[in-house]
Amino acid sequence: MANKRKRDNAPESEPVEKTEQQSTKKVKAPAPTKAARASSNSSTSATPFKVGSTSPITIQVVAGSYDRILHGITATITPTTTATTTTTPSKNNKKKAAAAETTTSYKVSFADTFLFNAHASAIRCLALSPPSAPTPGQKGVQKVLLATGATDERINIYNISAHPPSAKAADDQKLLNSITPRPVLENPKNRELGTLLHHSSNITRLVFPNRSKLLSASEDSTVAVTRVRDWALLHTFKCPIPKAQGRPSGDTAALGAVPAGVNDFAVHPSNKIMISVSKGERSMRLWNLETGKKSRVLNFPKDVLMEIGEGKHSTGEARRIVWGEDEFAVAFDRDVLVFGMDCRPRCRVMREVVVGTKMTKVHEIKYVSLGKEEGQEEEKNVLAVATEDGRILFFDTAEAELIQPPAPKEDAPEKEEQQQQQHKTKLFESKTTNAKLIAQLGGKTAGVSGRIKDFTILPVEDEESGKRSWFVASASSDGRIRMWRLESDDLCVGKKEGVKAGRQVGELLGTYETENRITCLGAFVMIPRPEGSVESEYEFDSEESEDDEESDDE
């Protein structure tokens, strides 16, 4: 009988010498291909959507809510260029030099595409697949799969058109728009495909790592892998249920039970490695997607947990996890830890001195690709963190930009020494470095005071100049969906002169009131409709051969 696999403690942040009894293992992950990077749902797509400088952009936004309502919205962003001429006197004050400047302003208009009760209880999560390949028989028509999970143990699957509604559909709905309080632009090609019953508890996470697979996590402590072609359950990863050791029950678990379930998981862009974090565990689990077996269990270092506020009386469990290029970030209740590929804690994020405010709750984390910098082959990534106070913070996690922790105080006051002796506590010394704060979006300065529950960052690139910008869709618990725009210079790491770290960035384009408590959000840039395209009612008949090829390659 094989020996049981022991837990491995995550190494300390300081390098240690390898011995015969203890050695540091490095997570071996192959370099992701361009297609894998673009299709990964763990971070913002690295491939920007190319658009013209004067072409309108249509973004499909999907939001789930506590009220069981699934809300589909199209945001059409129209750029307007205005030319202004400024005259400046010359040195002799006789001739005036005229300079022409062009400024571009953006206007957004929202319209409802669908609005219905999708589940019998609160919607917890949703996922959008990469667009399908252009179908030759349908003149390049593409579609996107939408999966929603709720506390009713069901996963609903929908088929959404990747193209904006046609002009004919807009003309047919003019009469409907005249009697509705909000514009309606329904797409008749959006259809429901069915329901999956692969779990026995609340659905907590959904991810399309590629077009052919759907991964789902639940509070039944399982992660299911589903094949999209026939929606067959291929494999189920089973996470252990923690033992009852004085843990609470009632609101957090059934009577006599313990809080259990997978909080989140992240698939590496190579689609060969997965990391999961669960309730009641101060650890993360590495899974091999090729063999379907557990690879390792890594405990979070106790001293690092104490530093981020996850002490003895806290759960110490991770809430969110996301992959980067050569690192991965793990979000806790009020802080985020960044680990290298050797599973060593590289830095933390939400230190009060860096953020400028008291530690606030973290709701969502994602990586944003800034593209390639001059003289570098790899793309630059920054970490985006959504907080309770209505901000999205952007951090640079590169090793060269890390901030050293503040030095401990040499002489403590007598009162503090007496209190420490009375409570038999010791002064904890901060040792973990902190990521550099680049900029922040939203917050009280921008009129956003409520928590940002979820957000999506969509990169776009100008076809003429090659300049990259980002559209950010953020959702708050007060039911408001905000559309922002970030310039290419807003997320610069601070190498330019006069650029202040942690500055307020972003332009608020518009706000949409859903009148529902939003829990999750997803969005994608809609592809312009090809000329002469005719959509079919279902796409799987024409894509069956394509899915077969994708599954064979994996």
Side-chain angles (χ1 to χ4, degrees):
M1 184 174 179
N3 296 330
K4 294 184 178 180
R5 189 184 300 271
K6 297 182 179 180
R7 289 173 175 256
D8 295 333
N9 289 329
E12 303 291 340
S13 57
E14 298 179 357
V16 296
E17 296 181 357
K18 296 183 180 179
T19 60
E20 295 180 358
Q21 298 179 354
Q22 181 180 2
S23 61
T24 303
K25 295 182 179 180
K26 187 175 181 179
V27 179
K28 295 182 179 180
T33 59
K34 292 183 180 180
R37 291 176 183 174
S39 62
S40 176
N41 269 28
S42 60
S43 60
T44 302
S45 174
T47 305
F49 189 87
K50 295 185 177 181
V51 295
S53 57
T54 58
S55 303
I57 302 172
T58 304
I59 298 176
Q60 175 69 65
V61 182
V62 183
S65 65
Y66 281 109
D67 309 304
R68 306 170 298 169
I69 294 177
L70 186 65
H71 208 142
I73 307 163
T74 56
T76 304
I77 302 172
T78 306
T80 304
T81 303
T82 57
T84 57
T85 304
T86 58
T87 57
T88 56
S90 60
K91 294 182 179 180
N92 53 13
N93 294 329
K94 293 182 179 181
K95 297 181 180 180
K96 294 183 179 181
E101 296 181 356
T102 58
T103 58
T104 304
S105 59
Y106 295 86
K107 182 180 180 182
V108 61
S109 58
F110 297 96
D112 291 334
T113 52
F114 52 85
L115 178 65
F116 60 96
N117 290 336
H119 291 268
S121 57
I123 300 175
R124 294 282 297 273
C125 55
L126 60 85
L128 293 166
S129 73
S132 62
T135 308
Q138 301 174 14
K139 297 183 179 180
V141 172
Q142 298 175 266
K143 295 191 177 182
V144 173
L145 292 174
L146 167 65
T148 61
T151 55
D152 58 358
E153 307 174 4
R154 295 172 178 267
I155 301 174
N156 291 345
I157 307 297
Y158 305 90
N159 212 357
I160 298 179
S161 175
H163 308 289
S166 61
K168 181 180 178 182
D171 294 337
D172 296 340
Q173 297 173 15
K174 286 184 178 180
L175 179 60
L176 181 62
N177 291 331
S178 62
I179 60 175
T180 55
R182 295 181 293 192
V184 177
L185 191 58
E186 184 180 2
N187 196 329
K189 303 304 178 182
N190 296 341
R191 297 183 180 276
E192 182 177 1
L193 299 181
T195 301
L196 302 179
L197 300 174
H198 295 165
H199 297 279
S200 59
S201 187
N202 303 338
I203 310 299
T204 57
R205 193 67 167 176
L206 293 169
V207 169
F208 281 99
N210 49 53
R211 180 68 184 180
S212 61
K213 299 293 186 300
L214 169 64
L215 274 68
S216 57
S218 172
E219 290 186 357
D220 60 2
S221 298
T222 61
V223 179
V225 182
T226 305
R227 183 169 55 198
V228 170
R229 184 184 60 194
D230 53 1
W231 303 110
L233 180 61
L234 299 181
H235 186 74
T236 301
F237 296 93
K238 296 182 180 180
C239 302
I241 299 176
K243 296 181 181 179
Q245 298 179 354
R247 297 190 60 81
S249 61
D251 294 338
T252 56
L255 183 62
V258 294
V262 179
N263 285 333
D264 195 10
F265 65 90
V267 180
H268 190 265
S270 64
N271 294 334
K272 295 183 179 181
I273 298 175
M274 180 180 70
I275 301 182
S276 65
V277 291
S278 302
K279 292 183 179 179
E281 290 188 336
R282 294 173 172 244
S283 61
M284 51 186 173
R285 299 179 180 273
L286 276 69
W287 306 87
N288 191 331
L289 295 180
E290 292 182 330
T291 61
K293 296 181 180 180
K294 181 180 66 177
S295 177
R296 295 180 66 190
V297 179
L298 296 172
N299 291 330
F300 299 122
K302 293 183 180 180
D303 56 346
V304 178
L305 290 180
M306 288 286 294
E307 185 177 347
I308 64 175
E310 297 289 340
K312 181 179 179 180
H313 301 287
S314 301
T315 60
E317 64 187 33
R319 309 301 175 93
R320 286 285 181 265
I321 186 168
V322 61
W323 277 102
E325 285 292 330
D326 56 349
E327 64 188 24
F328 59 92
V330 182
F332 295 85
D333 188 24
R334 295 180 182 273
D335 210 331
V336 181
L337 287 178
V338 178
F339 292 80
M341 295 303 294
D342 55 356
C343 297
R344 294 175 180 270
R346 179 183 296 177
C347 64
R348 56 179 293 196
V349 170
M350 301 294 291
R351 194 186 298 272
E352 296 181 5
V353 179
V354 177
V355 178
T357 58
K358 295 183 179 179
M359 295 182 67
T360 180
K361 189 173 182 180
V362 175
H363 289 282
E364 190 63 54
I365 57 174
K366 291 182 181 179
Y367 277 98
V368 184
S369 176
L370 304 183
K372 296 181 180 179
E373 294 183 351
E374 296 181 0
Q376 296 184 358
E377 297 181 357
E378 298 182 356
E379 294 186 349
K380 179 71 176 180
N381 289 341
V382 297
L383 180 63
V385 181
T387 62
E388 179 79 12
D389 55 4
R391 296 183 297 170
I392 299 178
L393 306 175
F394 298 92
F395 294 91
D396 185 9
T397 58
E399 294 186 4
E401 301 293 337
L402 298 182
I403 301 175
Q404 296 299 324
K409 297 180 180 180
E410 297 180 358
D411 299 329
E414 296 181 358
K415 292 183 179 180
E416 293 184 3
E417 292 181 358
Q418 294 176 0
Q419 292 178 358
Q420 291 175 11
Q421 294 177 0
Q422 291 177 359
H423 297 283
K424 295 181 180 182
T425 60
K426 59 181 180 179
L427 183 63
F428 183 79
E429 182 179 351
S430 300
K431 297 181 179 180
T432 309
T433 56
N434 203 95
K436 180 180 179 181
L437 178 63
I438 302 175
Q440 61 180 358
L441 175 70
K444 294 183 179 180
T445 306
V448 183
S449 57
R451 69 176 72 127
I452 295 182
K453 195 67 176 178
D454 201 354
F455 67 97
T456 301
I457 301 179
L458 304 172
V460 294
E461 184 177 317
D462 193 346
E463 293 180 342
E464 299 176 359
S465 61
K467 197 174 182 180
R468 180 177 297 193
S469 59
W470 298 269
F471 290 102
V472 183
S474 64
S476 303
S477 297
D478 57 3
R480 295 177 181 177
I481 296 178
R482 295 176 175 88
M483 188 64 63
W484 310 79
R485 184 179 182 274
L486 293 174
E487 293 284 353
S488 58
D489 297 336
D490 290 342
L491 298 183
C492 64
V493 186
K495 295 182 179 180
K496 295 184 178 181
E497 297 181 358
V499 177
K500 184 180 178 181
R503 67 194 185 282
Q504 189 76 23
V505 298
E507 175 189 0
L508 180 60
L509 302 181
T511 304
Y512 189 83
E513 293 278 357
T514 62
E515 300 179 359
N516 297 307
R517 295 176 60 192
I518 301 176
T519 57
C520 52
L521 179 136
F524 64 92
V525 180
M526 306 192 81
I527 305 170
R529 183 181 299 274
E531 296 182 0
S533 62
V534 179
E535 291 186 341
S536 65
E537 184 173 351
Y538 300 101
E539 67 168 331
F540 296 104
D541 295 338
S542 59
E543 287 189 350
E544 185 173 358
S545 60
E546 174 192 346
D547 293 336
D548 288 338
E549 294 177 358
E550 291 183 359
S551 58
D552 293 340
D553 294 339
E554 295 171 3

